[in-house]
Amino acid sequence: MLRKQDAVLDFTLGKLVIQKATLTDARVKVSSRYGVVLVEPFKANLYNGQFNAMLKMDVRTDTPRFTITEKLLGVQSAPLLKDMFDDEYLSGNANMDVSLTTKGNRISSLKKNLNGKMSLAFKEGSVNDSKLSSTINQAIAVIEKKPFDPNQKGTNFSKLTATAKVTNGVIDNRDLHLLAPKFQIKGLGKANLVSEQVDYQLRLMQPDKDGNKEHIYAPIDIKGGFDNLSYRFNEQEYLKQLADREVKKIEKKAKERIDQEINKAFEGLFKR
């Protein structure tokens, strides 16, 4: 049907709700020509920030093809997540860029054929009351050699950035970086949209300026299904890294001592 329709619609909306997220002052232009439907521009205000998107749907063949680009600028993430998921687990001023393509007639096919890239950046935010923030605070307590306070509900940060590549429905991120006053977190792993499984690791460590040359980190493993994620701080792995560092220090001192003795022996030989 769409292959035979030629039309252009250009309209504005004072309020538009998509998946429980509220957009205001939206401008949308929809054009259809020779089996290609284009939604561009699609602009709106979104939680004190701006939303800009483009959607292209090509139905000239039996398998529809989709191209999606999306940009968020200065969006307050806490109220957005509250409306969409009834949870404010991540707050901050958010920027996001998404560029994706896919094809298919079913949701399962659209997931499996999803490819592209995305990036995000948060400023002055927090990981709020959740299993994740509790696990992070547990690891921080061990790093700082302080008792764990279960009443601490959040983890504040100054900056959070990440980029990801999407290949056949698998989101692959290798460069997550969260910066806080006393620590930093680096993250890497995958989220499979097809199987709805996550295999990810956060690595808490001291800031680079503190001379953490060995890059010793406290690992938090995030695994499981989208609706049943587990968060585990691997304290034994962290303690093992500390022990290995001490062993290296001892080995270095021993080597220095041996070198000194060898040098003395050579000096003695030449004095004879």
Side-chain angles (χ1 to χ4, degrees):
M1 186 70 176
L2 286 173
R3 296 177 193 172
K4 301 178 181 180
Q5 296 294 323
D6 288 348
V8 176
L9 295 173
D10 194 343
F11 55 93
T12 59
L13 294 169
K15 181 179 179 181
L16 178 63
V17 179
I18 301 177
Q19 295 183 330
K20 299 182 180 180
T22 302
L23 296 88
T24 58
D25 299 326
R27 185 200 167 190
V28 184
K29 182 178 180 180
V30 183
S31 60
S32 175
R33 186 171 177 80
Y34 302 123
V36 178
V37 179
L38 181 65
V39 182
E40 185 183 27
F42 182 3
K43 298 180 179 180
N45 296 326
L46 180 67
Y47 299 91
N48 296 330
Q50 297 176 353
F51 170 86
N52 197 339
M54 183 278 290
L55 170 63
K56 181 180 178 182
M57 179 171 63
D58 187 339
V59 294
R60 289 175 293 184
T61 63
D62 292 337
T63 303
R65 296 176 176 271
F66 300 86
T67 302
I68 307 120
T69 63
E70 184 177 304
K71 181 185 288 288
L72 303 183
L73 182 63
V75 174
Q76 293 300 313
S77 60
L80 172 63
L81 295 173
K82 178 66 175 178
D83 284 352
M84 294 185 69
F85 306 110
D86 196 29
D87 198 340
E88 298 177 326
Y89 55 85
L90 183 63
S91 70
N93 186 298
N95 297 333
M96 180 181 291
D97 278 292
V98 177
S99 179
L100 300 169
T101 62
T102 188
K103 61 182 180 179
N105 293 293
R106 298 181 179 181
I107 296 296
S108 58
S109 297
L110 293 174
K111 288 181 179 179
K112 187 171 72 171
N113 294 314
L114 192 66
N115 292 280
K117 59 184 180 179
M118 57 181 64
S119 64
L120 61 85
F122 287 80
K123 292 191 297 183
E124 302 301 335
S126 64
V127 181
N128 299 317
D129 188 9
S130 64
K131 290 181 181 178
L132 176 56
S133 64
S134 178
T135 309
I136 290 174
N137 288 329
Q138 180 186 352
I140 292 171
V142 173
I143 291 175
E144 296 183 343
K145 299 178 181 179
K146 296 179 180 178
F148 169 56
D149 181 6
N151 295 317
Q152 187 174 349
K153 299 299 184 181
T155 304
N156 296 326
F157 61 83
S158 58
K159 183 177 71 171
L160 169 61
T161 59
T163 64
K165 183 179 180 180
V166 185
T167 306
N168 298 329
V170 179
I171 302 173
D172 189 353
N173 162 253
R174 298 285 160 176
D175 64 354
L176 182 141
H177 188 206
L178 180 151
L179 188 61
K182 295 184 179 180
F183 66 93
Q184 64 178 331
I185 298 177
K186 297 185 179 182
L188 69 164
K190 296 181 180 181
N192 191 319
L193 300 178
V194 180
S195 63
E196 298 187 347
Q197 294 288 314
V198 173
D199 186 1
Y200 201 83
Q201 186 178 78
L202 296 176
R203 298 177 173 180
L204 280 75
M205 61 186 76
Q206 294 178 338
D208 292 333
K209 65 181 181 180
D210 288 348
N212 183 17
K213 295 180 180 180
E214 301 89 349
H215 298 292
I216 291 175
Y217 59 88
I220 294 177
D221 295 319
I222 305 173
K223 296 180 181 292
F226 286 177
D227 58 351
N228 188 31
L229 289 175
S230 66
Y231 305 90
R232 175 177 172 264
F233 166 41
N234 191 338
E235 186 174 354
Q236 293 303 315
E237 170 61 25
Y238 174 65
L239 295 176
K240 180 180 181 298
Q241 292 178 49
L242 292 179
D244 289 344
R245 180 175 67 180
E246 294 306 312
V247 169
K248 288 180 181 178
K249 286 181 179 179
I250 294 172
E251 290 176 344
K252 182 180 179 181
K253 288 182 178 180
K255 183 178 181 304
E256 290 173 350
R257 216 176 281 124
I258 292 172
D259 289 342
Q260 289 175 358
E261 294 299 326
I262 292 174
N263 288 334
K264 287 181 180 179
F266 273 112
E267 288 176 358
L269 286 173
F270 287 118
K271 287 179 180 180
R272 293 178 181 179

